[in-house]
């Protein structure tokens, strides 16, 4: 299945499921962020799963969670 057909199928299925918005690319961001942030999967494993060869590429998909920022600040001994 080529990328265009996959994208059209995803959009059709998303709408049929009642999901108002979303893209395959957004799903990729969510997948990578969840594996790293919530499941603590090692970065090299995530890189291999998504087919990246550079850490920088994978890290470009990662979203920092508010809870992580809060935990980092709370961990400071002030």
């Amino acid at each position: 299945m080529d990328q265009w057909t996959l994208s059209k199928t995803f959009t059709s299925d998303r709408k049929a499921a009642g999901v108002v918005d979303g893209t395959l690319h957004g799903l990729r961001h969510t997948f990578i962020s969840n594996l790293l942030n919530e499941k603590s999967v090692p970065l090299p494993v995530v890189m291999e799963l998504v087919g990246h060869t550079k850490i920088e590429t994978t890290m470009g998909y990662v979203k920092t969670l508010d809870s992580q920022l809060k935990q980092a600040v709370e961990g400071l001994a002030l």
Side-chain angles (χ1 to χ4, degrees):
M1 182 180 300
D2 64 42
Q3 186 175 356
W4 176 250
T5 304
L6 183 61
S7 183
K8 284 178 64 176
T9 301
F10 175 81
T11 299
S12 175
D13 290 347
R14 175 185 55 78
K15 289 178 180 179
V19 178
V20 177
D21 197 16
T23 64
L24 281 175
H25 190 72
L27 186 60
R28 188 172 178 86
H29 277 271
T30 301
F31 177 70
I32 291 170
S33 288
N34 284 348
L35 287 176
L36 291 169
N37 291 333
E38 295 182 20
K39 301 299 181 184
S40 300
V41 175
L43 184 56
V45 174
V46 175
M47 287 174 55
E48 187 169 339
L49 283 171
V50 298
H52 292 161
T53 57
K54 295 182 180 179
I55 288 175
E56 295 82 6
T57 304
T58 306
M59 292 308 295
Y61 282 84
V62 179
K63 304 269 191 279
T64 303
L65 302 176
D66 289 340
S67 60
Q68 291 172 310
L69 298 172
K70 182 178 178 182
Q71 183 179 7
V73 171
E74 288 175 347
L76 295 174
L78 300 178

